[in-house]
């Protein structure tokens, strides 16, 4: 199986580090889905893992989020469909913010009142509607070690450090999983996660930040035969 990772940021770089899969980035490789050379680069692979996204979560720049998190995905879907390449789309657990506790893949997601969450939710639907062969992974990954002196003790979710989230995504890809998956580890607070790698003080989330990003990871665990 020949795999190409789009994006060399925190997640894309870690996935490539763990697998030695090829990487194509916007900055280093001049990635542009609108030019023929990029099209042919993508069609030479069995699987394309799209880690490219605007992750400036609370930015009010609608155009940037729209162009990167939605229009770019739309173009990648077309390329993958034409070349019969599987698309692995990295999404966000922020689409569950404001939804039910411990949301599953079949629960109705509610975006978190920002363009980041909204465009991720739209692109998730677009992939499910139009992609002929796909895997959507909803997750949140953090740098290792935790980079801040304080961490929110009232925000919970299935987030984890980038090495663990990357490993789970890689396992799903190698297993041949398809469809929509919540990807993460057991539910915890951000403070509990941060304490695993450094001494931090507990703090509270600002009003605009979702407190509950929890989601069910039962489907993922069954697919990976985890207990």
């Amino acid at each position: 199986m020949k795999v190409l990772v789009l994006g060399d940021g925190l997640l894309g770089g870690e996935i490539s580090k763990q697998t030695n899969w090829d990487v194509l980035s916007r900055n280093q490789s001049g990635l542009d889905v609108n030019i023929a050379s990029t099209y042919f680069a993508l069609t030479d692979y069995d699987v394309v893992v799209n880690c490219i996204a605007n992750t400036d979560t609370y930015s009010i720049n609608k155009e940037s989020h729209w162009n990167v998190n939605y229009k770019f995905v739309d173009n990648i879907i077309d390329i993958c469909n034409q070349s019969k390449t599987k698309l692995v789309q990295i999404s966000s657990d922020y689409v569950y913010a404001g939804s039910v506790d411990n949301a599953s893949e079949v629960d109705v997601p509610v975006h978190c009142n920002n363009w980041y969450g909204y465009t991720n939710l739209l692109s998730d639907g677009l992939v499910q509607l139009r992609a002929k062969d796909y895997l959507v992974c909803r997750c949140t990954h953090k740098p290792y070690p935790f980079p801040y002196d304080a961490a929110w003790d009232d925000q919970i979710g299935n987030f984890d450090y980038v090495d663990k989230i990357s490993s789970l995504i890689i396992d799903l890809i190698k297993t041949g999983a398809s469809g929509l998956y919540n990807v993460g580890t057991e539910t915890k607070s951000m403070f509990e996660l941060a304490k695993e790698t450094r001494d931090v003080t507990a703090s509270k989330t600002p009003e605009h930040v979702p407190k509950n990003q929890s989601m069910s990871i039962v489907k993922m665990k069954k697919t990976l035969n985890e207990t």
Side-chain angles (χ1 to χ4, degrees), residues 40 44 65 77 79 85 108 116 181 196 199 213 221 227:
F40 289 112
D44 193 37
H65 282 289
I77 291 171
I79 294 173
T85 302
V108 178
Y116 170 72
Y181 277 81
E196 293 179 11
D199 289 329
Q213 296 167 230
K221 293 175 74 171
T227 56

Side-chain angles (χ1 to χ4, degrees), residues 123-140:
S123 62
D124 283 6
L126 192 65
V127 171
Q128 294 174 83
L129 178 66
R130 296 190 54 239
K132 295 179 180 178
D133 190 6
Y134 69 88
L135 168 65
V136 175
C137 297
R138 289 174 172 166
C139 58
T140 283

Side-chain angles (χ1 to χ4, degrees), residues 37-122:
S37 59
T38 297
Y39 172 84
F40 289 112
L42 268 60
T43 58
D44 193 37
Y45 292 85
D46 302 304
V47 178
V48 168
V49 185
N50 182 31
C51 298
I52 291 175
N54 181 339
T55 57
D56 189 359
T57 311
Y58 303 106
S59 167
I60 61 173
N61 188 335
K62 173 185 175 181
E63 184 176 2
S64 177
H65 282 289
W66 184 262
N67 289 337
V68 177
N69 297 345
Y70 186 73
K71 292 175 67 176
F72 179 78
V73 176
D74 187 34
N75 290 334
I76 294 295
I77 291 171
D78 286 337
I79 294 173
C80 289
N81 282 346
Q82 292 173 34
S83 60
K84 297 181 180 179
T85 302
K86 184 172 186 175
L87 172 61
V88 178
Q89 173 66 19
I90 306 302
S91 181
S92 171
D93 58 9
Y94 261 56
V95 301
Y96 291 121
S99 185
V100 299
D101 291 351
N102 199 37
S104 75
E105 292 84 353
V106 298
D107 285 311
V108 178
V110 180
H111 70 78
C112 53
N113 199 29
N114 57 59
W115 290 116
Y116 170 72
Y118 183 59
T119 51
N120 269 279
L121 182 58
L122 288 177

Side-chain angles (χ1 to χ4, degrees), residues 123-193:
S123 62
D124 283 6
L126 192 65
V127 171
Q128 294 174 83
L129 178 66
R130 296 190 54 239
K132 295 179 180 178
D133 190 6
Y134 69 88
L135 168 65
V136 175
C137 297
R138 289 174 172 166
C139 58
T140 283
H141 55 280
K142 295 297 179 182
Y144 183 96
F146 194 77
Y148 308 111
D149 295 327
W152 299 321
D153 63 2
D154 59 344
Q155 183 188 57
I156 63 169
N158 303 87
F159 30 67
D160 213 315
Y161 291 107
V162 64
D163 58 329
K164 293 183 180 179
I165 298 298
S166 295
S167 179
L168 291 170
I169 293 171
I170 292 166
D171 288 346
L172 284 171
I173 294 171
K174 290 183 175 180
T175 302
S178 295
L180 174 64
Y181 277 81
N182 296 333
V183 178
T185 53
E186 298 306 319
T187 304
K188 66 190 77 62
S189 70
M190 190 63 72
F191 177 72
E192 289 172 320
L193 177 65

